[in-house]
Amino acid sequence: MRTIIAIKRILIVCLFASLAHECAAADGPGQRSILVLEDADFRSPFYSEIFAGIRTAAKDNGHIHTVIYGESLDLARFPGPDYEESLVGHLKTKYAHRSIDVIVSIGVASAKFLQGRKHDIWPAAPVVYGFVPDLPEVRALFLPGTTAIFAKVLPTQLLTAARAVVPDLTSVVLVGEAWKNPLTYGHWKQEFAAAMPDLEVIDLSDRVMREVRERVRSLPPRSAILTSAMYSDGEGTYYLPAAALARVAEHANRPIIITSDTFLGRTGVGGFLLLPETIGREAGQVAMRILGGEAPSSIPPVAGDNVKPIFDWRQLKLWNVDEAHLPPGSRVRFREPSFWEQYYWRVMISAGVVLAQTMMIAILLRERRLRFLAEVEARQRMSELAHMNRRATAGEMSASIAHELSPPLAAILINAETAEQVLQAPAPDLGVVRDILGDIRRDDRRASEIVVRLRSFLKRVPTERRELDLNATVGEVFRFLSIQALTYDVALATDPSSSDIRVNADKVQLQQAILNLVMNAIDAVTDLPEDRRRIVGRTSLASDNQAMVSIADAGDGISTEKVAEIFKPFFTTKTQGMGIGLSITRTIIEAHGGRIWAENAPTGGAVFHISLPLAGIAR
């Protein structure tokens, strides 16, 4: 009996060994792995771009099959030994059967975590440190046999940017939690004193956001705000850094010097900005060198080329900043194009036409000057009329196609990138991939239908309509635009009717009409305070067997003289708008036997109403 039991145990051991070998082989020959440990949340734009940079570096090195894992330690929001201990247990369990070949540590907190905990989880994995300052205190955190790519905005660089924006600078205001961390900005007090001995420093880094917002309302005239990372309001509410800084910027009466490329265009005037995609790509390149066989100890820590002076042209104009005062090599973004940039081809064509006419006139004046001038002028007018007619027709068609196809094509691209990321996992969830492929197929059909419907509309061919649930149709549009709204910090909400509302309509065209209205509403509230960045879509039953859709925003409303103009083709109030969205919307609604109009709400903002006949009602 004992012999039989022993034989069974041996067979079980052999079976498990065989299964382990097969699992290892399933990962593919030569597959290597990188684990990215980040301080904060992968969902923030800054850390998302870092991760994208690491992924780009791995993809560029095509001869090494690499899988990349990512972990957000989130130590800023959850400090303390208890959380750290639970984090160690979680990571040990999660990666118990995953071989980690290189760890890319992003941020000081991540480096500190590895110093105390790496030997408990990944004792043999080499480490590449990224997004850390070159300070002795930080180097002391590095484990033996590791390397680093340094990336940090120096206090003196912040001061240089502030003096460029405010040439007569006498005081600076420090905002953000990182100023309190010696591992982030080091000995900034001594550096400030050495650069500007008489500089007044107003330190608000230990104040709660409510107090900071109040203080920045009335700062001295010759001052500037120097920012660092902010993750909470100090009273229990946590934010992404860009959102936290935006709340401060809403009340600031002085220019804000920022430190990240992901903040530009939303909050501050600019400065020496960290380039997160570059930070990730540089760290990823070093990680790939290690995977290629180089020892980390043979790669010396170096400063990356990941901080550049970049400024917002609009903010420079707002604070009357002379671009000549900016640091050497500064880039200026969001600049309005010059007359020559805007009208280069028109000027060149006009100049060519004028030159050609001049030459023709000079040659033919010898024979019949008066008659020739009359013929040339008539020919010129006819040519201009024909040219304008061709441009109007071609321009309207191309603009319509581009305007209608952009949403489904963008959705296809996003879904394809998401599927690619899911398939990079060791055990991809095929159900998720199947759902993504279904979304891609749906949007592809939608794009095809748009082209067919647009061609049919231009040829006056009747569209294919069927009975639709209006509540569901509006809900689908709002769900589709939820990511776009999140990007601009805009809240979307629907208030569907309690009654079942059915209409006869072409689904693609009706959704496009509603989408145009919601996108216009997002544009209208993007630059407003947070409490006004909201859009509500309502459905209801009206008298005379009519269904109603209302899109309401909390923006500045529509001026009285423009209410009657906004639905005309090519009329727009946007600097980059084509002026066809509302015209297309009106055409779609009227083709369905409906009506569209706009008005200003009594409580503020604009409301666009769509009225459609209920299903079964003849028109």
Side-chain angles (χ1 to χ4, degrees):
M1 180 63 70
R2 292 180 179 177
T3 302
I4 295 174
I5 293 175
I7 293 173
K8 288 182 178 180
R9 289 177 177 174
I10 292 173
L11 290 174
I12 291 173
V13 170
C14 292
L15 177 61
F16 275 110
S18 175
L19 289 174
H21 175 74
E22 290 178 4
C23 291
D27 286 338
Q31 178 171 286
R32 310 301 298 278
S33 61
I34 297 175
L35 173 63
V36 182
L37 291 182
E38 297 195 330
D39 275 358
D41 196 335
F42 273 112
R43 293 173 298 178
S44 72
F46 186 86
Y47 285 96
S48 293
E49 289 194 22
I50 289 180
F51 193 85
I54 296 172
R55 189 169 59 243
T56 299
K59 186 180 296 184
D60 291 343
N61 192 330
H63 65 277
I64 300 179
H65 183 202
T66 308
V67 60
I68 303 176
Y69 303 105
E71 294 292 340
S72 298
L73 299 180
D74 217 359
L75 296 170
R77 292 195 298 173
F78 301 98
D82 291 341
Y83 170 70
E84 189 172 309
E85 194 65 37
S86 68
L87 195 57
V88 171
H90 166 71
L91 294 175
K92 287 178 67 175
T93 302
K94 185 173 181 178
Y95 294 95
H97 302 291
R98 294 287 188 274
S99 174
I100 302 301
D101 297 303
V102 178
I103 297 174
V104 177
S105 170
I106 301 298
V108 174
S110 176
K112 197 171 183 180
F113 174 81
L114 287 175
Q115 184 188 41
R117 298 295 189 171
K118 177 179 176 293
H119 64 277
D120 295 330
I121 316 173
W122 307 285
V127 179
V128 177
Y129 297 100
F131 187 40
V132 290
D134 188 4
L135 297 171
E137 298 91 336
V138 175
R139 284 179 177 257
L141 300 175
F142 294 172
L143 295 168
T146 60
T147 187
I149 299 292
F150 297 113
K152 205 62 184 179
V153 177
L154 302 176
T156 52
Q157 290 177 320
L158 280 164
L159 201 56
T160 298
R163 295 173 70 176
V165 175
V166 185
D168 55 350
L169 184 74
T170 59
S171 63
V172 294
V173 182
L174 307 186
V175 172
E177 302 165 13
W179 288 106
K180 298 183 293 184
N181 187 352
L183 297 179
T184 303
Y185 283 115
H187 308 288
W188 59 265
K189 293 183 180 179
Q190 293 87 330
E191 295 185 41
F192 280 179
M196 292 186 65
D198 299 328
L199 181 69
E200 178 188 5
V201 178
I202 303 172
D203 189 359
L204 302 182
S205 61
D206 58 347
R207 303 295 182 89
V208 299
M209 184 176 292
R210 174 171 40 82
E211 296 176 354
V212 172
R213 282 158 59 95
E214 187 62 34
R215 287 290 301 275
V216 299
R217 289 177 183 271
S218 54
L219 295 176
R222 294 188 293 174
S223 63
I225 301 172
L226 308 186
T227 62
S228 65
M230 302 175 66
Y231 294 97
S232 73
D233 63 357
E235 297 179 306
T237 301
Y238 289 87
Y239 299 91
L240 293 175
L245 186 57
R247 290 179 59 81
V248 174
E250 289 174 356
H251 295 270
N253 72 326
R254 297 301 301 153
I256 298 176
I257 307 302
I258 55 178
T259 57
S260 170
D261 183 49
T262 55
F263 294 164
L264 196 69
R266 299 186 61 186
T267 52
V269 67
F272 285 84
L273 305 187
L274 291 159
L275 307 177
E277 196 277 338
T278 303
I279 292 172
R281 183 158 32 84
E282 291 174 341
Q285 288 169 350
V286 174
M288 296 308 294
R289 289 172 61 184
I290 295 173
L291 290 181
E294 293 188 51
S297 56
S298 67
I299 306 174
V302 295
D305 187 23
N306 45 43
V307 176
K308 300 291 182 182
I310 307 175
F311 295 85
D312 186 332
W313 183 86
R314 300 165 299 185
Q315 289 284 320
L316 295 178
K317 293 300 178 184
L318 175 65
W319 300 106
N320 297 318
V321 178
D322 187 350
E323 291 187 32
H325 295 158
L326 299 180
S330 294
R331 307 174 191 170
V332 179
R333 294 184 184 170
F334 310 113
R335 187 191 301 275
E336 291 183 1
S338 65
F339 175 85
W340 182 252
E341 292 171 334
Q342 282 184 298
Y343 302 106
Y344 173 80
W345 286 111
R346 296 181 186 178
V347 171
M348 294 299 294
I349 292 172
S350 300
V353 171
V354 171
L355 181 60
Q357 290 179 349
T358 302
M359 293 176 63
M360 291 173 63
I361 292 172
I363 294 172
L364 298 177
L365 268 178
R366 300 174 185 177
E367 300 180 1
R368 297 183 177 181
R369 181 173 180 274
L370 294 177
R371 181 178 178 180
F372 175 77
L373 288 174
E375 291 176 353
V376 167
E377 186 164 352
R379 192 182 303 116
Q380 177 187 356
R381 297 293 178 261
M382 290 297 295
S383 175
E384 289 176 353
L385 286 174
H387 181 62
M388 290 176 62
N389 183 65
R390 290 194 300 270
R391 284 187 57 193
T393 302
E396 183 175 357
M397 290 182 64
S398 61
S400 298
I401 294 171
H403 192 83
E404 300 290 335
L405 285 178
S406 291
L409 292 181
I412 290 172
L413 177 59
I414 292 172
N415 278 309
E417 290 177 345
T418 303
E420 182 180 9
Q421 294 180 14
V422 172
L423 291 173
Q424 287 177 354
D429 188 337
L430 296 181
V432 172
V433 175
R434 188 178 300 108
D435 292 340
I436 292 173
L437 291 176
D439 291 341
I440 292 175
R441 187 164 52 252
R442 180 202 63 201
D443 289 310
D444 180 78
R445 285 197 300 266
R446 183 181 174 196
S448 299
E449 289 173 1
I450 288 171
V451 175
V452 173
R453 298 294 179 267
L454 184 58
R455 185 184 296 120
S456 299
F457 176 75
L458 292 174
K459 293 181 179 180
R460 302 186 182 274
V461 176
T463 58
E464 296 180 7
R465 302 178 188 176
R466 62 179 184 274
E467 188 172 309
L468 301 176
D469 182 344
L470 189 60
N471 290 333
T473 302
V474 174
E476 287 177 12
V477 174
F478 272 68
R479 285 192 296 273
F480 175 74
L481 290 175
S482 60
I483 296 178
Q484 178 78 3
L486 182 62
T487 303
Y488 293 98
D489 245 350
V490 175
L492 296 183
T494 56
D495 183 15
S497 169
S498 57
S499 304
D500 183 25
I501 304 179
R502 316 289 292 186
V503 296
N504 284 319
D506 182 284
K507 185 175 182 180
V508 174
Q509 290 189 3
L510 181 57
Q511 286 187 334
Q512 186 64 47
I514 298 170
L515 184 142
N516 287 344
L517 298 182
V518 180
M519 287 297 297
N520 280 351
I522 291 175
D523 289 339
V525 302
T526 295
D527 297 324
L528 299 180
E530 182 180 7
D531 59 341
R532 296 177 61 189
R533 292 197 293 269
R534 64 182 188 277
I535 299 166
V536 179
R538 296 184 174 88
T539 55
S540 60
L541 288 172
S543 57
D544 300 328
N545 295 314
Q546 294 289 306
M548 292 284 294
V549 178
S550 300
I551 306 299
D553 63 60
D556 296 326
I558 308 170
S559 59
T560 305
E561 62 273 12
K562 293 180 180 178
V563 169
E565 302 288 328
I566 57 177
F567 293 102
K568 291 183 178 180
F570 302 107
F571 178 87
T572 180
T573 58
K574 307 174 190 175
T575 57
Q576 302 298 326
M578 292 187 292
I580 62 173
L582 290 178
S583 175
I584 291 173
T585 299
R586 183 180 67 174
T587 301
I588 292 173
I589 298 305
E590 290 180 352
H592 283 74
R595 188 168 67 93
I596 182 171
W597 70 97
E599 61 184 10
N600 290 315
T603 57
V607 185
F608 284 79
H609 300 285
I610 293 174
S611 172
L612 293 169
L614 293 174
I617 304 299
R619 296 292 294 181

